């Protein structure tokens, strides 16, 4: 991923240096396991642990000649450890080390992602608490529907992010899997006990039934679950973009001192962060498709997945980490305009209260069909008409006046009626 979108904590996990450290970590864990079952001298393991090292540039130099990254790595490590290097990689195939080490990178990445998810959750929770009862219009199909509150809208975001967190916690368990089972996964040249001991040392579980590789459904799930998080962040961002439109302007991204929105139009204050998040979600969704295509490999393994994963796994982790930080900052500093929300809610004389009027008329004995026709006629007369006023039309309708008192009409147009059950939702979420 380009530096522009790479935060140092996550970027560091996907460097060559970190990757080779995990490779060495796996090889040493296997040596320790080999010593524990009596296959190699414990003194040799201690010497390996004391001397083992690598140099990224030297590994790349060797790889340029041998055209095999694992052999290049092992060759370089042996340059440090000397004669005891013969005990390294005994009975293993390259993917034993590669897939087990990759699991360590994925777990480390998920730990950072989960920390950022929690920060986003807390940012949403705080804003939801602040705006529990901040009225705004609810919209369906992009059209005014009925009153809601901004806190209620945010409650939906909070619930979604909590589900994302729960999925990622389970995902961390599902991808915390290693394999030290040999060339095609049959343990023909390595004792299964080695795998169990080494994985335990690394904080992983042995794969249930590996081939030469850990099956790529796990990696596809990894990218898919992250794509779900990205889809959630995109949903929030698209909502902010819509609410920031000039003809709506109910919320707005924070616009810092000295910031400029357009090279040509000085008045512009654009939702650039929300748009950036929306675009990034598209990349991660594309990566999820590539991860799914990696599941079907030839027989016990081919390497068609390898080149794909070198791109999509670091890019996906780096992007979602960046997106989460952006979203957290965006929500923490979001500008909210309650007066504009009230203005938009009451446009055309409160047509959004039409259902309350409909139900009140039905409760007084008017048929639903007649009541619907009456209310719809008044609403459409007021809708999109200069100075149109739905409430005035209702109050002055002869049929309505026969059935509803002034107090009952007031109740129909009271937005507080739409709050009476919201606390049930807030209590579920601890808002």
């Amino acid at each position: 991923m380009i530096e522009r979108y790479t935060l140092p904590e996550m970027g560091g996990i996907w460097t060559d240096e970190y990757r080779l450290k995990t490779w060495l970590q796996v090889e040493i864990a296997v040596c320790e396991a080999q010593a524990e079952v009596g296959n190699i001298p414990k003194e040799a393991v201690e010497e390996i642990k004391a001397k083992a090292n690598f140099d990224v540039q030297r590994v790349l130099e060797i790889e340029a000649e041998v055209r095999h990254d694992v052999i290049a790595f092992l060759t370089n490590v042996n340059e440090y450890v000397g004669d005891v290097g013969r005990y390294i990689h005994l009975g293993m195939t390259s993917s034993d080390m590669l897939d087990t080490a990759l699991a360590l990178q994925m777990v480390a990445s998920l730990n950072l992602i989960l920390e950022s998810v929690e920060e986003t959750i807390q940012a949403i929770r705080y804003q939801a608490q602040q705006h529990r009862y901040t009225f705004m219009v609810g919209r369906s199909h992009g059209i005014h529907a009925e009153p809601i509150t901004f806190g209620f809208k945010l409650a939906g975001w909070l619930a979604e992010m909590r589900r994302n967190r729960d999925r990622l916690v389970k995902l961390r368990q599902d991808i915390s899997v290693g394999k030290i089972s040999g060339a095609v996964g049959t343990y023909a040249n390595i004792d299964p006990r080695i795998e169990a001991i080494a994985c335990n040392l690394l904080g992983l579980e042995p794969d249930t039934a590996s081939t030469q590789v850990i099956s790529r459904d796990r990696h596809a799930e990894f990218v898919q679950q992250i794509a779900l998080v990205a889809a959630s962040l995109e949903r929030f961002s698209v909502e902010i973009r819509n609410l920031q439109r000039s003809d709506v302007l109910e919320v707005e991204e924070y616009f810092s001192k000295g910031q400029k929105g357009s090279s040509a139009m000085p008045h512009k204050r654009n939702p650039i962060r929300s748009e950036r998040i929306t675009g990034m979600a598209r990349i991660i969704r594309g990566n999820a498709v590539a991860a799914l295509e990696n599941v079907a490999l030839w027989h016990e393994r081919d390497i068609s997945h390898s080149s794909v994963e070198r791109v999509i796994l670091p890019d996906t982790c780096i992007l979602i980490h960046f997106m989460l930080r952006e979203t957290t900052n965006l929500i923490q500093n979001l500008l909210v305009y309650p007066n504009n929300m009230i203005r938009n809610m009451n446009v055309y004389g409160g047509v959004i209260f039409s259902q309350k009027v409909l139900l009140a008329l039905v409760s007084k004995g008017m048929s639903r069909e007649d009541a619907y026709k009456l209310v719809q006629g008044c609403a459409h007369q007021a809708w999109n008409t200069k100075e149109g006023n739905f409430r005035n039309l209702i109050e002055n309708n002869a049929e309505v006046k026969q059935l509803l008192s002034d107090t009952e009409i007031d109740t129909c147009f009271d937005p507080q009626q739409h709050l009476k059950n919201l606390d049930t939702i807030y209590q579920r979420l601890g808002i």
Side-chain angles (χ1 to χ4, degrees), residues 56-291:
V56 173
Q57 291 306 313
R58 175 61 178 149
V59 172
L60 294 174
E61 178 184 311
I62 298 169
E63 185 183 354
E65 178 184 348
V66 301
R67 302 300 178 111
H68 195 293
D69 54 355
V70 173
I71 292 174
F73 169 75
L74 294 172
T75 300
N76 182 227
V77 171
N78 275 291
E79 289 175 341
Y80 285 92
V81 300
D83 184 58
V84 290
R86 69 184 186 276
Y87 296 119
I88 298 174
H89 207 69
L90 283 180
M92 294 171 63
T93 190
S94 296
S95 291
D96 287 335
M97 181 191 71
L98 292 172
D99 279 8
T100 305
L102 181 57
L104 297 178
Q105 283 183 287
M106 293 163 71
V107 170
S109 296
L110 261 187
N111 287 337
L112 277 183
I113 292 167
L114 278 164
E115 288 177 13
S116 295
V117 165
E118 195 60 43
E119 290 169 359
T120 304
I121 285 172
Q122 294 311 317
I124 297 171
R125 184 188 303 279
Y126 176 80
Q127 288 285 25
Q129 289 169 335
Q130 301 307 301
H131 295 285
R132 288 165 62 99
Y133 305 121
T134 300
F135 280 113
M136 68 182 298
V137 64
R139 298 169 172 91
S140 56
H141 304 275
I143 307 301
H144 286 197
E146 290 193 337
I148 62 171
T149 71
F150 189 52
F152 170 72
K153 185 184 291 290
L154 292 169
W157 298 7
L158 176 60
E160 190 166 334
M161 286 307 297
R162 291 190 352 168
R163 290 193 296 274
N164 281 322
R165 178 189 61 195
D166 293 345
R167 284 189 286 257
L168 292 178
V169 169
K170 181 180 182 300
L171 176 64
R172 182 168 55 187
Q173 178 181 345
D174 291 342
I175 57 95
S176 295
V177 169
K179 62 95 52 182
I180 311 293
S181 54
V184 289
T186 59
Y187 303 99
N189 298 298
I190 195 163
D191 191 323
R193 291 179 298 166
I194 303 300
E195 179 183 66
I197 296 167
C199 284
N200 183 61
L201 290 170
L202 296 167
L204 304 174
E205 292 291 328
D207 193 13
T208 309
S210 62
T211 60
Q212 190 174 89
V213 295
I214 293 173
S215 295
R216 260 40 199 176
D217 64 293
R218 294 184 187 272
H219 304 73
E221 181 187 14
F222 180 82
V223 182
Q224 283 182 299
Q225 295 289 16
I226 291 175
L228 269 177
V229 180
S232 295
L233 302 184
E234 180 185 22
R235 181 170 89 88
F236 310 157
S237 297
V238 167
E239 184 67 15
I240 290 170
R241 290 167 59 195
N242 269 313
L243 294 179
Q244 186 168 333
R245 285 171 24 229
S246 299
D247 52 339
V248 178
L249 198 55
E250 294 178 354
V251 306
E252 187 177 29
E253 290 187 13
Y254 177 73
F255 200 83
S256 62
K257 184 178 180 180
Q259 184 175 341
K260 292 177 173 59
S262 167
S263 64
M265 297 169 284
H267 71 277
K268 297 281 281 182
R269 291 160 65 107
N270 300 325
I272 56 171
R273 279 188 158 176
S274 301
E275 291 170 336
R276 185 182 300 132
I277 292 165
T278 301
M280 289 177 172
R282 297 169 186 167
I283 299 172
I284 294 180
R285 267 198 300 280
N287 290 350
V289 173

Side-chain angles (χ1 to χ4, degrees), residues 18-51:
Y18 191 99
R19 176 169 55 89
L20 297 184
K21 280 183 179 178
T22 61
W23 289 10
L24 188 57
Q25 191 177 351
V26 171
E27 292 288 356
I28 288 175
V30 173
C31 286
E32 290 180 307
Q34 293 276 24
E36 187 169 327
V37 299
N39 289 346
I40 66 175
K42 291 185 177 180
E43 297 78 11
V45 177
E46 292 306 312
E47 187 175 349
I48 290 169
K49 289 167 67 175
K51 293 181 176 179

